[in-house]
Amino acid sequence: MDANGTRSSIWRNREFLPLWGSQTVGEMGSQVSVLALPLVAVVLLDASTFQVGLLAAAETSAYLLVALPAGAVVDRVVRRRLMIGCDLAQFVVIGSVPVAHALGVLTLAHLYAVALVSSVLSVFFQVAYQAYLPVVLVHGQLMDGNGKLAASRSVAQIAGPSTGAALVTLVGAAGAMTADAISFMASAGLLRAIRSPEPRRFRAEAGRRPRMMAQVREGLAYVLRDPILRNSVGFNGTANFFVIMVESLGTVFLVRTLHLRPGLIGLLLALGAVGGLAGGVAARYLARKVGSARISWIAMTLLSLPGLLIPMAEPGWMVLLFACGWISWTFSSTVAGVSLTSYRQAACPPDMLGRVSAAARWINWGTLPLGSLAGGVLATFLGVRTTLWIAVVGGCCAGLWLFFSPLRGMRDIPLAQPRPVSVAGAT
């Protein structure tokens, strides 16, 4: 890998490729559970609409509850080792669902517990992974690397639901979650293939023992002080609040309103993820031609508008409107996300990237359980389709955070080398 981070060098990067493979395998398995877990609740346990919303809230609640301290922990430990531990723990947690079903003791309480614990492990893994990526890539490669990771995530979103649908048909919803459990074991094996140690500066803080709350405040203050980060997390938090309504109610809508079979549901979710794949592939090109700052707000104010088609879906060929809406949203959010994430990774000082990433995720993803609960309550009183209309209108308006921000006056988001900063609370 050369110092300039040329396009070809990323394919010869022996540290990035196993990380990329680990992320791809883990995402593939997780996307199987995106379909399988709510189907377990709906089909096997006859869960109500509110209970499905509560399950979705449990799956994302850790972002609100533990994301901030997770960032401080990530900046104190060896990040790759933490990611491996999270993968192994996920293997046990997710694997408990098919085991409990086989023994005839599976309950909704068990599913809530699995969703909650898995959510906590996912938070620690994602925060560590975002902070670890700049260790294996130079700054000039971050846009390319994030684009490839986003593309592989979208490939998993395409192949995962269809694979999950096939597994649900063959072995049932609970049995399909076995694939997710196995994927975490494979992910851990790929991470172990990364041999180079992390730079010493990432591990030095463990001996200095800075106060955790001081670190948490420092990360949050950094995000709120930087105008680009502040508006990007405002956008993400707003978008996620409404998008999770669609995600958590989508299965209920497709099963109980449109009366679709699991196989067709998986196909629709896979078609919707095509937009994310296209966005990951096109992000670097669009950033170069249009400008990384311009394309972020253009994508989320104009290109996301076909998302309004989602609640228009009806039985028959009009079910494709659901997929078309998802294609629009996944393409737009991926294009914008690659630029915004690359800015955070490049501009943030390395010794506090974990807590800054965690602070951003606390705001970005902390709205997910709130949106899931709101979706469940609104759907109970207003109906699923009406709630979907509220969600898609709100989601399309989220891009205004980026439009009314410094990004509108820029062509490109700056990716300057960060200056090191002192650690708050360190002695």
Side-chain angles (χ1 to χ4, degrees):
M1 181 176 68
D2 63 40
N4 295 322
T6 61
R7 174 184 285 191
S8 61
S9 66
I10 199 171
W11 293 101
R12 299 194 300 268
N13 188 329
R14 296 182 180 179
E15 308 300 333
F16 173 70
L17 294 180
L19 179 64
W20 187 14
S22 169
Q23 183 252 12
T24 302
V25 171
E27 287 284 351
M28 180 71 75
S30 295
Q31 288 302 314
V32 171
S33 286
V34 165
L35 175 67
L37 189 61
L39 284 177
V40 169
V42 173
V43 177
L44 298 182
L45 301 178
D46 196 27
S48 67
T49 301
F50 177 76
Q51 288 171 328
V52 173
L54 190 61
L55 180 62
E59 289 182 279
T60 56
S61 59
Y63 288 108
L64 183 61
L65 300 176
V66 302
L68 287 176
V73 171
V74 164
D75 280 341
R76 291 168 175 242
V77 302
V78 179
R79 292 159 180 172
R80 183 176 67 94
R81 188 179 300 166
L82 175 62
M83 290 188 289
I84 292 172
C86 288
D87 274 342
L88 296 177
Q90 289 276 35
F91 170 76
V92 175
V93 172
I94 299 297
S96 71
V97 174
V99 171
H101 177 64
L103 297 176
V105 294
L106 184 63
T107 64
L108 273 174
H110 187 158
L111 290 187
Y112 293 146
V114 166
L116 180 60
V117 175
S118 179
S119 174
V120 171
L121 294 170
S122 178
V123 166
F124 276 91
F125 184 94
Q126 292 295 330
V127 171
Y129 143 74
Q130 289 286 336
Y132 185 65
L133 185 62
V135 173
V136 299
L137 295 178
V138 298
H139 279 63
Q141 293 178 315
L142 285 173
M143 185 75 74
D144 194 14
N146 279 309
K148 286 178 169 57
L149 290 165
S152 66
R153 183 162 52 247
S154 297
V155 169
Q157 290 172 341
I158 294 170
S162 56
T163 302
L167 289 172
V168 168
T169 301
L170 293 174
V171 298
M177 295 191 67
T178 304
D180 189 11
I182 294 173
S183 74
F184 284 111
M185 184 65 73
S187 174
L190 286 167
L191 288 174
R192 287 182 60 86
I194 302 175
R195 297 300 181 185
S196 298
E198 295 179 30
R200 186 175 300 277
R201 67 174 180 272
F202 287 119
R203 296 183 294 174
E205 292 186 30
R208 294 161 66 185
R209 294 301 177 195
R211 291 170 293 176
M212 181 172 291
M213 288 307 300
Q215 287 186 298
V216 168
R217 287 194 298 269
E218 185 180 43
L220 190 58
Y222 189 98
V223 170
L224 297 178
R225 185 171 61 246
D226 186 299
I228 295 178
L229 284 179
R230 183 173 63 246
N231 283 277
S232 67
V233 298
F235 148 68
N236 278 308
T238 303
N240 286 335
F241 178 86
F242 291 108
V243 171
I244 196 62
M245 289 188 185
V246 181
E247 291 187 358
S248 60
L249 297 174
T251 302
V252 178
F253 177 65
L254 295 173
V255 171
R256 293 180 177 168
T257 302
L258 303 187
H259 308 291
L260 302 183
R261 298 186 302 275
L264 186 54
I265 293 173
L267 178 61
L268 287 174
L269 294 176
L271 287 174
V274 169
L277 174 60
V281 173
R284 192 170 185 268
Y285 173 81
L286 291 174
R288 187 170 64 249
K289 293 296 183 180
V290 181
S292 57
R294 287 177 185 167
I295 195 59
S296 63
W297 65 261
I298 289 173
M300 298 314 306
T301 56
L302 297 178
L303 301 183
S304 65
L305 290 179
L308 296 170
L309 296 172
I310 289 173
M312 297 182 187
E314 297 285 353
W317 69 268
M318 289 187 69
V319 300
L320 293 177
L321 296 179
F322 190 95
C324 289
W326 270 123
I327 290 173
S328 165
W329 273 6
T330 54
F331 178 85
S332 303
S333 62
T334 301
V335 168
V338 167
S339 295
L340 297 174
T341 301
S342 298
Y343 170 76
R344 184 175 72 241
Q345 292 170 334
C348 177
D351 60 345
M352 60 180 296
L353 184 55
R355 73 202 82 149
V356 169
S357 296
R361 282 189 174 267
W362 180 65
I363 301 171
N364 292 349
W365 301 99
T367 58
L368 291 174
L370 303 179
S372 296
L373 288 173
V377 171
L378 289 174
T380 299
F381 291 100
L382 302 178
V384 173
R385 194 185 295 271
T386 299
T387 303
L388 288 179
W389 272 112
I390 295 171
V392 297
V393 171
C396 288
C397 290
L400 295 176
W401 278 96
L402 302 180
F403 181 77
F404 294 108
S405 78
L407 295 171
R408 187 158 54 97
M410 302 178 180
R411 183 190 188 276
D412 292 296
I413 296 176
L415 296 179
Q417 181 79 24
R419 297 190 303 269
V421 298
S422 59
V423 179
T427 57

